[in-house]
Amino acid sequence: MISAQQIHEIPSEVLKYIHGPLGAKALKILPPECANAEAVVFVSKQAQLDSALKHNASIVIAHKDLQIPEKSHACFFTTPHIQLAVATVAALFDKKIQRFQQEEHIHPRSFIHASALLGKNVIVGSGAVIGAETHIGDGSIIGANSVIETHARVGSNTIIHPLVFLGAYCEVGSFCEIHPHTTIGADGFGFVPLKASHPIKIPQLGRVVIGDHVEIGSNCAIDRAAMTETHIRSGTKLDNLCHIAHNCEIGENSLIAAGFMMAGSSKLGKNFVVGGGAVVSDHVEVSDNVMVAGLSGVTNDI
């Protein structure tokens, strides 16, 4: 249970206490129409505020332009940015870490090579495999049945969910989150077509480097480079079912919706935003601050 006092103590300029009992408590965040006496409610319209009060919401966080009643049972905060306020307060309710709790930090059914280096308070789940000369930073979590291959690196406070593959020599930064069934560092798609025989594979000798504060959804595939590095820069967020081919680069703080595919050796600038199901062709360069609508195809430089 979270109290209004705990919300008041968050060091954030996005929340301002107005009035009401700081001892008010809530078990969950609910929409205004579903509110009850144990709920935090966020409202951006007057009708939503009226609904929250009608349903006896315990704590109300309202947009700063709304008219706050002077007398009410609820504890009131205001914010200039509702979505940012939700992100800030919801962190108090997030119990995701409990999914990984176990009697021992290192599960007895995991395998960790003797040469692997694990930082402080690392959690390794059942069936996870951590290869030779790997480095796992302080406070990171390696979920059940994940594989971290030889010489790979994971920064601090990163969550690797169950059933993730991180290939040899690849790197994931700090404060990242990689969701289940994602593959980082499989071979890129490189073959020499021949008329007289089957295509001949070009060895994929590079790696993948992922920056800090990156989140990658489930069932994504990010290929290692043919010779150098495939890059996902810091702050970027990928939805589910995305494919990033070899030698690609995605700039800082980009937002990639589900089903996005990017062919080899293309480069996206900072703050790239793309809708679902879009495709970027090979050897294309897109500059900073570009938005591409869903189901689009990019075949030339932007």
Side-chain angles (χ1 to χ4, degrees):
M1 187 168 285
I2 302 300
S3 70
Q5 181 64 41
Q6 287 174 275
I7 296 174
H8 185 41
E9 291 173 356
I10 295 174
S12 172
E13 295 180 359
V14 77
L15 295 166
K16 180 182 179 181
Y17 170 68
I18 302 300
H19 62 70
L22 288 172
K25 294 183 179 180
L27 283 173
K28 59 182 68 176
I29 298 172
L30 291 173
E33 66 275 13
C34 299
N36 57 40
E38 295 182 332
V40 174
V41 174
F42 294 84
V43 296
S44 57
K45 299 177 181 179
Q46 197 66 42
Q48 293 176 330
L49 176 56
D50 295 342
S51 179
L53 295 176
K54 178 182 176 181
H55 288 86
N56 297 314
S58 177
I59 302 170
V60 177
I61 299 175
H63 192 274
K64 65 180 182 64
D65 292 338
L66 296 183
Q67 187 69 37
I68 305 299
E70 294 183 2
K71 294 182 178 181
S72 172
H73 66 279
C75 184
F76 280 94
F77 296 83
T78 59
T79 178
H81 198 307
I82 286 288
Q83 283 188 313
L84 187 55
V86 172
T88 302
V89 175
L92 296 175
F93 292 86
D94 189 357
K95 306 300 181 184
K96 182 183 295 180
I97 198 69
Q98 292 180 358
R99 303 181 196 174
F100 303 95
Q101 289 180 347
Q102 52 194 34
E103 290 185 10
E104 302 176 54
H105 271 58
I106 308 300
H107 197 283
R109 292 199 179 110
S110 62
F111 173 80
I112 301 173
H113 194 277
S115 64
L117 180 61
L118 274 59
K120 299 176 181 177
N121 300 316
V122 169
I123 294 174
V124 180
S126 174
V129 176
I130 298 178
E133 304 294 336
T134 55
H135 288 227
I136 312 294
D138 294 348
S140 285
I141 297 170
I142 309 301
N145 297 307
S146 287
V147 175
I148 313 296
E149 284 195 329
T150 175
H151 293 90
R153 301 181 70 93
V154 176
S156 62
N157 300 292
T158 283
I159 300 175
I160 305 291
H161 282 264
L163 299 164
V164 168
F165 171 84
L166 179 62
Y169 294 93
C170 294
E171 183 174 328
V172 175
S174 298
F175 299 97
C176 294
E177 186 166 3
I178 314 298
H179 289 273
H181 300 286
T182 281
T183 294
I184 298 169
D187 282 356
F189 190 70
F191 297 89
V192 180
L194 299 173
K195 292 183 179 180
S197 73
H198 62 80
I200 303 300
K201 181 168 182 172
I202 300 171
Q204 303 294 291
L205 308 177
R207 65 180 189 143
V208 176
V209 178
I210 294 173
D212 300 331
H213 298 281
V214 170
E215 183 158 348
I216 299 175
S218 60
N219 294 290
C220 292
I222 302 172
D223 290 346
R224 66 175 61 245
M227 299 177 187
T228 55
E229 295 175 342
T230 300
H231 279 278
I232 310 294
R233 302 291 184 184
S234 294
T236 288
K237 317 297 182 185
L238 274 71
D239 200 352
N240 305 325
L241 296 164
C242 294
H243 172 61
I244 311 302
H246 60 183
N247 309 318
C248 285
E249 179 176 338
I250 299 179
E252 290 90 343
N253 303 322
S254 294
L255 290 170
I256 312 293
F260 174 74
M261 293 189 290
M262 183 178 181
S265 300
S266 287
K267 182 178 180 180
L268 308 177
K270 295 184 289 187
N271 306 313
F272 179 73
V273 178
V274 62
V279 176
V280 172
S281 187
D282 59 296
H283 296 86
V284 165
E285 290 197 16
V286 176
S287 58
D288 297 344
N289 306 309
V290 169
M291 299 180 71
V292 173
L295 300 177
S296 297
V298 179
T299 58
N300 290 293
D301 293 351
I302 300 176

